[in-house]
């Protein structure tokens, strides 16, 4: 017993010395060549859970170290370094860059990840340092111009989402949006009230974005992968102390360009000119209604605004054990168009604990966002370029709430005319809210008894609730809100709830057999989407009856899938990838529900062969070839195979005697509807030269069959005239080039240039109208007239080609009104003389980013270019004739400058379809210029900061004279203009 007491006493006496023996160390990690600090380096104590990462200045601190501990330093693109701790107080670690930085970059792929060097398909990855700089209100804007073959078109309204097109998309009328996967969770389409699929995600939370472009890579996603896949990885916690980052950005938003309009003085001069009065028969009563003001209506509706974006994040190990990340963000953007604004609050929590000696890894991702948006009546933009500039904004009369509006001869409101644009904005209150909770739970278990096998379970949910109230004052003249008792105004209420549930279970087997590496994944996926929608109609309308028909509940959309992928490598040089997916949907008739999609690709790393492995000039050379098929089922209508009857309302009743009964009518249905399928062939080369130039060159061809569309049916072919059908084939082929150039790299000065280019040719190869007299399917609705369209889908032509008459010009070079070429020579001008002319999509797109670092200064600028795209100038066609100004219902409208260029007087004569209005909209844009300065320890030890200033939407170089040459569908109807933004930012790390 005495011996035991002596041992316990000895241990108690030794405890303080053990504590003293545990030391701490401060250090810095730098590049071995440039001696520049490297932020984000992982510093781990070998064999333990302890660790940290370097801050913005490459500094780190570790505590509770014992002599003999091994510190392991790792960072993508650098060789790992190991340091033996022997009680040092400070250390400096130099890391050596790999010959090819891209070798260790991790690319997210379907249900897993691979290193860039082992990727066999057409995949790209962008990390945070490669994102667009400045203020990015949405995740899509991080990508704009950064990847070959990826075109991002973002709107101008505050918080507006963007359309992403990867290699042009694969469809015509069905969805062309890529599948977006966030940390393993498939994101659903946004509900009403939200600004887009990614509007709920804080861009500051994103760590990397992987883009899968060809079917050999996307086939594992089956029917959801035909338009490419965007895989987003968010920032996670790390081992070590909690680190806090605080960021604030102020942005001054200004109107970059105004529409060209006729000034009040010029308008007044033209209207009162005796020669013009005689020539154009301008009525004296109209002239008498001219005002005395000089109003620039664009100045009245547009103004500068200031946006504020605040972010706080905390990342590290919770309780010293659980890697944790928490972030909060708030964005407030008042629009440059009066009354428009966007307010978003986001929170995100991510936990990544590891248990059982890393055999069990858990990831919990939880996101909550609230979007509050006030949507302005964007019709006010058209009114601002059309309303009489001699009238004042306000009137002495209170009839319209103090705003000037046109009255007819009886002094009653003129409901059909152009309305006061300021009143359109101020007397409408259209507010929405969108709540979104999305996240998932993922567990990866590496079997103890068979560690080569890993089992993964992913459970995810994307829950959205959108609602809104759209109110219009009863003082605003709207004929839809008028009854015998007067103007009752407008109040429309809506809400919609949508939920997407996801459950994935899969196994992964990884093993090396000598020179052969095998990585096999197989699993099951289940997805269910439900939605409920409500719309009240005008609740101020006494005739409006609200009942059960105001609420619509969709059938649950279900998708069950089985998938598999195999990666096989031999000797690190010869790589094979095979993908397969079987999708079963309830959106088609039972005989067409199953779809099988697969893909395969091969790669040969030539630079590892004996004849190249020691080359100093060619540091990387990989050849790739792939083929795969994907599918599509996304249409505006679902369950079209089910025969349905629709109940009529009080306006569709049948009388029996003195009683009236609601009717029911059958709806169009199609039980032969089947999958749209896309096959893709891709041949690519990845290369590196002198360790300074890295790039890829890809050749691709996509063929889509059984195109899905909501189009017209031939007479008598179905119960209805319009509905979903498989109606054609589409082919797209192109070439992509991506370059990353380290132009200069020294101790104090670095210059990096990223360039990408894409050429694409698209053509429709078959349509259901082939063999008939119909030239194709019309599309592309325009302002002017009723139901007019100016585009067409026709076999052997580009999608959405403009379908117009060939304009004849006079000797003075001006177009002759109503005179067109008789292209078929039958002696008359009719629709058979129309022809397919130009298209809205570019032949060539380019992106260029230049980054310069000098000591603590940094500079970045981003350029984009689009060549070969054309625009239909709908502003000129809708308002560019004199009769619009002096012969309409209202006494006077402004004169479009287009009239002075053409001399067109009348509305008719097929003028809307003149190819004169098809304009070259090629452009070069300087998207972003940004300057920054980094401060070391501004608030004490282990702190850093960066101050930045910049300008976004800096300059546009284009022949197109409209507001902006970048409009997705190629029809300019007075879009919400993209603001020119002056950005001031500050980020501090603690």
């Amino acid at each position: 017993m005495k011996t035991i007491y002596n041992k316990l006493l000895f241990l108690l006496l030794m405890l303080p010395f053990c504590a003293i023996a545990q030391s701490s160390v401060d250090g810095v990690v730098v590049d071995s060549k440039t001696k520049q600090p490297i932020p984000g380096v992982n510093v781990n104590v070998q064999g333990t859970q302890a660790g940290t990462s370097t801050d913005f200045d490459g500094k780190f601190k570790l505590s509770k170290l014992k002599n003999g501990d091994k510190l392991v330093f790792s960072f993508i693109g650098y060789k790992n370094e190991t340091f033996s701790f022997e009680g040092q107080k400070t250390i400096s670690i130099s890391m050596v860059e790999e010959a090819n930085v891209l070798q260790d970059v991790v690319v997210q792929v379907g249900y897993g990840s691979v290193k860039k060097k082992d990727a066999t398909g057409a995949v790209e990855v962008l990390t945070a340092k490669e994102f667009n700089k400045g203020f990015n209100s949405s995740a899509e804007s991080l990508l704009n111009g950064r990847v070959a073959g990826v075109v991002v078109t973002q709107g101008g309204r505050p918080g507006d989402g963007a359309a992403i097109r990867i290699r042009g998309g694969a469809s015509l009328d069905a969805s062309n949006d890529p599948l977006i996967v966030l940390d393993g969770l498939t994101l659903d389409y946004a509900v009403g009230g939200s600004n887009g699929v990614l509007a709920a995600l804080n861009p500051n939370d994103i760590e990397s974005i992987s883009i899968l472009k060809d079917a050999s890579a996307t086939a594992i996603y089956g029917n959801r992968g035909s338009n490419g896949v965007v895989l987003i990885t968010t920032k996670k916690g790390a081992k070590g102390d909690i680190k806090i980052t605080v960021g604030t950005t102020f942005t001054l938003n200004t109107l970059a360009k105004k529409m060209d309009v006729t000034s009040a003085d010029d308008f007044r001069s033209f209207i009162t000119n005796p020669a013009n009065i005689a020539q154009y028969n301008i009525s004296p009563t109209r002239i008498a209604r001219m005002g005395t003001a000089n109003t620039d209506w664009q100045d009245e509706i547009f103004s500068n605004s200031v946006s504020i974006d605040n972010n706080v994040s905390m990342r590290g190990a919770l309780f010293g054990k659980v890697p944790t990340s928490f972030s909060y963000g708030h964005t407030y953007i008042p629009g440059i168009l009066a009354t428009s604004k966007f307010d978003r609050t986001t929170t995100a929590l991510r936990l990544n604990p590891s248990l059982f000696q890393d055999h069990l890894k858990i990831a919990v991702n939880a996101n909550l966002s609230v979007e509050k948006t006030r949507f302005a009546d964007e019709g006010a933009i058209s009114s601002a370029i059309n309303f009489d500039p001699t009238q004042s904004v306000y009137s002495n009369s209170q009839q319209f709430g103090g705003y000037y509006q046109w009255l007819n001869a009886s002094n009653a409101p003129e409901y059909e005319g152009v309305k006061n644009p300021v009143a359109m904005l101020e007397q409408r209150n259209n507010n929405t809210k969108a709540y979104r909770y999305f996240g998932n739970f993922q567990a990866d278990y590496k079997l103890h008894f068979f560690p080569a096998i890993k089992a993964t379970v992913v459970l995810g949910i994307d829950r959205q609730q959108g609602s809104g109230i759209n109110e219009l004052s009863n003082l605003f003249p709207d004929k839809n809100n008028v009854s015998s008792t007067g103007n009752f105004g407008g109040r429309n209420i809506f809400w919609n709830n949508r939920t997407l549930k996801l459950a994935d279970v899969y196994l992964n087997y990884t093993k090396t057999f000598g020179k052969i590496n095998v990585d096999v994944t197989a699993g099951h996926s289940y997805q269910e989407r439900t939605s409920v929608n409500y719309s009240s109609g005008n609740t101020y309308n006494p005739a409006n009856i609200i009942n059960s028909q105001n609420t619509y509940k969709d059938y649950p959309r279900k998708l069950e899938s089985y998938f598999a992928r195999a990666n096989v490598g031999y000797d690190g040089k010869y790589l094979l990838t095979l993908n397969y997916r079987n999708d079963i949907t309830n959106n088609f008739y039972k005989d067409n529900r199953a779809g099988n999609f697969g893909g395969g690709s091969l790669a040969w790393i030539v630079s590892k062969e004996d004849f190249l492995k020691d080359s100093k000039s060619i540091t990387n050379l990989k050849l790739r070839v792939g083929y795969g098929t994907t599918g599509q089922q996304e249409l505006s209508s679902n369950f079209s195979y089910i025969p349905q009857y629709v109940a009529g309302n009080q306006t569709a009743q049948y009388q029996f005697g003195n009683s009236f009964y609601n009717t029911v009518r059958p709806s169009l249905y199609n039980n032969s509807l089947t999958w749209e399928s896309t096959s893709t062939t891709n041949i690519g080369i990845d290369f590196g030269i002198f360790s300074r130039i890295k790039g890829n060159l890809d050749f691709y061809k996509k063929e889509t069959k059984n195109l899905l569309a909501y189009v017209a049916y031939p007479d008598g072919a179905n119960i209805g005239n319009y509905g979903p059908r498989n109606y054609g084939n589409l082919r797209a082929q192109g070439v992509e080039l991506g370059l990353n150039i380290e132009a200069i790299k020294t101790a104090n000065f670095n210059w990096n240039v990223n360039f990408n280019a894409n050429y694409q040719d698209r053509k429709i190869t078959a349509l259901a109208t082939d063999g008939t007299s119909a030239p194709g399917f019309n599309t592309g609705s325009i302002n002017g007239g009723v139901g007019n369209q100016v585009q067409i889908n026709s076999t052997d032509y580009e999608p959405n080609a403009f379908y117009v008459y060939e304009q004849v010009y006079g000797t003075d070079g001006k177009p002759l009104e109503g005179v067109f070429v008789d292209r078929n020579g039958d002696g008359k001008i009719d629709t058979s003389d129309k022809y397919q002319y130009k298209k809205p999509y570019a032949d060539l797109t380019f992106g260029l980013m230049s980054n310069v670092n000098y000591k603590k200064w940094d500079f970045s600028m981003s350029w984009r270019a689009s060549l070969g795209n054309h625009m239909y100038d709908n502003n000129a066609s809708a308002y560019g004739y004199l009769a619009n100004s002096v012969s309409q219902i209202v006494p006077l409208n402004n004169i479009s400058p287009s009239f002075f260029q053409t001399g067109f007087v009348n509305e008719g004569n097929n003028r809307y379809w003149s190819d004169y209005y098809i304009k070259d909209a090629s452009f070069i844009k300087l998207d972003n210029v940004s300057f920054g300065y980094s401060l070391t320890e501004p608030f004490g030890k282990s702190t850093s900061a960066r101050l930045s200033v910049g300008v976004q939407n800096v300059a546009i170089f284009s022949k197109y004279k409209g507001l902006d040459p970048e409009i997705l569908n190629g029809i300019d109807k007075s879009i919400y203009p993209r603001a020119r933004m002056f950005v001031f930012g500050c980020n501090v790390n603690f």
Side-chain angles (χ1 to χ4, degrees):
M1 192 71 175
K2 183 177 180 180
T3 303
I4 294 175
Y5 285 138
N6 288 336
K7 289 182 179 180
L8 288 173
L9 179 61
F10 176 76
L11 289 173
L12 289 172
L13 291 173
M14 289 300 295
L15 280 175
F17 295 97
C18 294
I20 293 172
Q22 290 184 335
S23 306
S24 62
V25 63
D26 292 299
V28 62
V29 181
V30 299
D31 183 283
S32 61
K33 290 183 179 180
T34 67
K35 305 305 179 184
Q36 292 291 307
I38 308 175
V41 175
N42 294 315
V43 185
N44 296 311
V45 181
Q46 194 174 69
T48 74
Q49 295 290 321
T52 186
S53 59
T54 59
D55 62 17
F56 189 80
D57 295 307
K59 295 181 178 180
F60 70 93
K61 182 175 183 177
L62 274 176
S63 57
K64 298 182 180 179
L65 295 176
K66 302 186 297 294
N67 289 350
D69 280 347
K70 302 291 185 183
L71 307 185
V72 179
F73 299 82
S74 60
F75 189 66
I76 291 175
Y78 287 83
K79 295 179 180 178
N80 288 357
E81 297 289 341
T82 302
F83 179 84
S84 180
F85 177 74
E86 299 295 343
Q88 297 91 336
K89 296 298 182 184
T90 61
I91 60 175
S92 179
I93 303 296
S94 295
M95 298 190 71
V96 179
E97 190 176 4
E98 292 276 11
N100 186 353
V101 176
L102 292 177
Q103 296 297 304
D104 287 330
V105 172
V106 176
V107 181
Q108 298 298 315
V109 294
Y111 308 100
S113 61
V114 296
K115 290 185 177 180
K116 177 70 174 176
K117 67 183 179 66
D118 296 326
T120 59
V123 298
E124 295 285 348
V125 61
L126 291 178
T127 58
K129 67 178 183 179
E130 297 160 320
F131 293 155
N132 285 319
K133 303 298 187 292
F135 173 53
N136 294 289
S137 62
S138 68
E140 299 98 324
S141 59
L142 301 173
L143 286 173
N144 204 1
R146 306 299 304 117
V147 180
V150 178
V151 176
V152 180
T153 306
Q154 190 156 14
R157 73 172 65 94
D160 206 1
I164 303 175
R165 295 293 178 264
I166 299 176
R167 293 181 171 179
S171 189
L172 288 182
D173 195 60
S175 174
N176 276 305
D177 297 325
L179 174 68
I180 297 177
V181 182
L182 175 70
D183 292 329
L185 173 68
T186 300
L187 295 183
D188 201 2
Y189 298 111
V191 295
S194 174
N195 284 267
V197 179
L198 291 173
L201 180 63
N202 187 342
N204 295 284
D205 288 340
I206 298 175
E207 182 173 65
S208 68
I209 301 176
S210 297
I211 299 174
L212 314 184
K213 296 194 270 188
D214 72 331
S216 70
T218 65
I220 197 167
Y221 285 107
N223 83 92
R224 298 174 298 172
S226 61
N227 297 306
V229 181
V230 177
L231 297 159
I232 300 174
T233 302
T234 56
K235 297 173 183 176
K236 306 298 192 297
K239 299 174 182 177
D241 297 333
I242 298 290
K243 295 183 177 180
I244 300 174
T245 299
V246 179
T248 298
T249 302
F250 293 90
T251 304
L252 174 63
N253 308 302
T254 65
L255 182 64
K257 182 181 179 180
K258 291 167 62 175
M259 288 289 293
D260 187 18
V261 297
T262 303
S263 69
D265 288 339
D266 290 342
F267 177 79
R268 191 177 286 111
S269 176
F270 182 92
I271 295 296
T272 58
N273 186 307
N276 294 332
I277 294 173
Q279 181 179 354
Y280 300 114
N281 194 27
I282 302 175
S283 169
T285 58
R286 292 179 181 270
I287 298 174
R289 299 291 297 275
M290 189 180 300
T292 59
N294 288 273
T295 304
D296 186 327
W297 289 102
Q298 292 181 84
D299 285 346
E300 299 296 333
I301 65 171
F302 292 114
S303 62
N304 296 342
S305 69
V306 176
S307 303
I308 302 174
D309 184 60
N310 295 317
N311 294 277
V312 179
S313 67
M314 295 176 284
R315 295 184 176 91
L318 189 64
F319 310 119
K321 298 290 185 181
V322 181
T324 303
S325 172
F326 174 79
S327 67
Y328 167 85
H330 180 254
T331 303
Y332 177 69
I333 309 175
I336 57 174
L337 179 63
T339 72
S340 61
K341 62 182 179 180
F342 173 73
D343 188 307
R344 176 184 64 200
T345 302
T346 62
T347 56
L349 175 66
R350 314 192 194 285
L351 305 174
N352 298 89
S354 296
L355 305 172
F356 309 126
Q357 297 180 325
D358 288 345
H359 274 263
L360 176 61
K361 295 183 178 180
I362 295 174
V364 177
N365 303 298
N367 305 270
L368 175 65
S369 75
V370 181
E371 295 175 62
K372 299 178 182 179
T373 307
R374 181 172 179 181
F375 292 96
D377 185 345
E378 295 178 23
I381 301 174
S382 294
S383 292
I385 64 177
N386 204 22
F387 204 86
D388 181 357
T390 69
Q391 305 299 337
S392 298
V393 176
Y394 303 101
S395 168
N396 293 327
S397 170
Q398 294 301 309
Q399 182 176 1
F400 302 108
Y403 293 101
Y404 179 85
Q405 299 283 11
W406 287 113
L407 299 173
N408 61 25
S410 303
N411 285 327
E414 186 52 80
Y415 293 111
E416 300 293 343
V418 179
K419 305 299 189 300
N420 183 320
V422 178
M424 292 176 68
L425 297 169
E426 298 295 343
Q427 293 183 318
R428 182 177 295 278
N429 197 349
N430 185 3
N431 287 287
T432 66
K433 288 183 181 180
Y435 297 87
R436 189 169 192 170
Y437 168 75
F438 53 107
N440 60 355
F441 169 86
Q442 179 171 330
D444 297 312
Y445 175 56
K446 185 168 61 176
L447 305 185
H448 278 80
F449 56 89
F450 201 159
I453 292 181
K454 181 178 68 175
T456 299
V457 175
V458 181
L459 303 175
I461 188 170
D462 184 2
R463 171 70 172 168
Q464 302 179 74
Q465 295 176 301
S467 62
I469 300 176
N470 187 358
E471 294 181 300
L472 183 64
S473 168
N474 63 354
L475 298 176
F476 185 86
D478 186 331
K479 68 175 182 179
N480 296 315
N481 298 336
V482 176
S483 67
S484 58
T485 59
N487 188 335
F488 46 76
R491 186 174 187 265
N492 294 269
I493 303 171
F494 83 91
W495 55 259
N496 49 64
N497 299 333
R498 182 178 296 164
T499 302
L500 182 145
K501 298 177 182 178
L502 177 74
D504 293 337
V505 179
Y506 54 94
L507 296 174
N508 174 255
Y509 173 76
T510 305
K511 190 72 173 178
T512 299
F513 303 94
K515 292 185 176 182
I516 300 176
N517 297 317
V518 177
D519 186 337
V520 178
T521 299
H524 172 267
S525 178
Y526 178 80
Q527 175 183 296
E528 181 175 303
R529 181 192 297 164
T530 58
S531 66
V532 182
N533 306 281
Y534 169 83
S535 179
S536 68
N538 189 351
T539 59
Y540 290 161
N541 186 346
N544 182 38
I545 299 175
I546 299 176
N547 52 37
S548 61
Q549 294 185 36
N550 292 89
T551 303
Y552 179 76
K553 184 176 182 179
D554 285 334
Y555 292 108
R557 287 274 305 275
K558 299 178 181 180
L559 182 69
E560 187 170 13
S561 309
Y562 301 88
F563 58 86
R565 179 183 58 242
N567 293 320
V568 181
Y570 177 75
D571 201 20
K573 297 183 290 187
Y574 313 106
L575 309 171
L576 168 68
T577 299
L578 298 173
N579 290 306
Y580 171 75
R581 187 178 184 104
N582 171 250
D583 281 330
I584 304 170
T585 179
N586 67 339
N587 199 31
F588 294 143
Y589 186 63
K590 60 182 180 180
D591 294 341
N592 301 323
R593 289 181 177 176
N596 294 289
F597 311 100
S601 53
L602 294 165
W604 174 26
I605 305 179
V606 184
S607 54
K608 287 190 176 183
E609 298 290 354
D610 291 341
F611 58 86
L612 270 183
K613 67 179 182 181
D614 296 322
S615 173
K616 301 297 183 182
S617 56
I618 301 177
T619 54
N620 180 45
L621 181 61
K622 180 169 71 173
L623 306 180
R624 297 177 281 105
V625 61
Y627 175 84
T629 59
T630 52
Q632 166 88 279
Q633 63 159 326
E634 298 296 336
L635 265 175
S636 56
S637 60
N638 299 313
F639 304 104
S640 301
Y641 67 90
I642 301 176
Q644 299 181 59
Y645 287 85
V646 178
N649 55 31
Q650 64 269 20
T651 64
Q653 295 181 324
Y654 194 84
Q655 182 178 2
F656 283 99
N658 295 324
S659 300
F660 291 86
Y661 299 89
N662 287 348
T663 61
V664 293
R665 62 184 184 275
S667 296
L668 180 147
Y669 71 97
N670 183 353
N671 59 15
S672 63
L673 207 65
T674 188
W675 299 93
E676 181 179 290
S677 63
T678 301
S679 60
T680 304
T681 302
N682 195 95
I683 299 173
I685 305 171
D686 298 334
F687 57 87
I689 304 173
F690 298 115
S691 298
R692 289 293 185 93
I693 302 175
K694 306 171 183 68
N696 60 276
L697 180 66
D698 282 84
F699 303 85
Y700 63 88
K701 182 178 181 180
K702 298 195 300 182
E703 294 182 294
T704 303
K705 297 182 178 180
N706 293 321
L707 286 165
L708 288 168
Y710 197 87
V711 294
Y713 273 76
D715 291 340
N718 209 307
I719 296 173
N721 295 324
Y722 285 85
R725 60 188 296 198
N726 298 103
Y727 81 121
N729 302 330
L730 174 68
R731 186 261 302 150
Q733 55 191 14
V735 183
E736 295 172 347
L737 173 67
L739 291 173
N740 190 2
I741 304 170
E742 292 285 352
I744 300 175
K745 191 167 187 178
T746 66
N748 292 319
F749 186 81
N750 295 284
W751 180 23
N752 174 268
V753 178
N754 180 282
F755 173 79
N756 65 79
N758 176 64
Y759 166 79
Q760 187 176 75
D761 173 64
R762 302 173 76 206
K763 185 177 291 186
I764 298 169
T765 56
L767 282 179
T769 54
D770 293 348
T772 72
S773 59
F777 291 94
N778 292 307
T779 185
S781 297
I782 61 173
N783 292 334
V786 179
N788 290 328
Q789 296 174 307
V790 76
Q791 292 173 327
I792 195 169
N793 287 318
S794 303
T795 300
D796 295 329
Y797 291 94
E798 285 262 0
N800 300 326
F802 297 107
Y803 194 50
V804 289
Y805 293 104
E806 185 177 357
Q807 181 68 54
V808 175
Y809 294 82
T811 56
D812 59 357
K814 289 187 175 182
L816 299 176
E817 184 170 4
V819 182
F820 304 102
V821 174
D822 181 10
R823 293 181 63 88
N824 64 359
D826 63 355
K828 60 181 181 179
I829 300 297
D830 56 23
T831 55
S832 61
D833 292 303
K834 286 184 178 180
Y835 74 118
Q836 292 83 355
Y837 177 67
K838 304 298 184 182
K839 83 290 185 195
Y841 308 112
D843 298 315
L844 290 160
T845 56
F846 302 91
L848 174 70
M849 173 177 272
S850 176
N851 293 303
V852 177
N853 295 83
Y854 175 69
K855 294 185 178 179
K856 294 186 177 182
W857 294 91
D858 62 82
F859 168 76
S860 174
M861 66 175 177
S862 302
W863 294 80
R864 284 184 301 119
S866 178
L867 305 178
N869 50 299
H870 287 75
M871 186 79 67
Y872 177 76
D873 188 353
N874 198 188
N875 293 310
S877 69
Y879 311 122
Y881 59 100
L882 187 61
N884 177 68
S885 301
V886 298
S887 303
Q888 292 290 354
I889 295 173
V890 297
L892 293 170
N893 287 322
N894 201 358
I895 302 174
S896 168
S898 178
F899 162 73
F900 298 108
Q901 299 162 6
T902 65
F904 290 167
V905 175
N906 299 309
E907 179 177 10
N909 300 321
N910 294 318
R911 187 184 49 80
Y912 290 120
W913 295 277
S914 170
D915 63 8
Y916 169 80
Y917 295 115
I918 310 301
K919 307 294 185 181
D920 182 358
S922 300
F923 64 83
I924 299 174
K925 282 192 174 186
L926 178 54
D927 275 336
N928 179 286
V929 174
S930 176
F931 293 88
Y933 180 77
S934 299
L935 294 88
T936 303
E937 299 185 346
F939 304 106
K941 198 171 182 179
S942 299
T943 66
S944 61
R946 180 178 180 270
L947 303 176
S948 62
V949 296
V951 184
Q952 293 179 207
N953 193 21
V954 184
I956 304 173
F957 306 94
S958 177
K959 293 180 180 179
Y960 185 63
K961 302 304 180 184
L963 201 60
D964 197 316
E966 189 177 14
I967 299 176
L968 183 64
N969 66 350
I971 299 176
D972 187 356
K973 300 180 181 179
S974 297
I975 62 168
Y976 194 123
R978 299 175 178 92
R980 177 163 296 143
M981 299 180 285
F982 299 88
V983 185
F984 308 87
C986 176
N987 284 276
V988 181
N989 302 294
F990 298 95

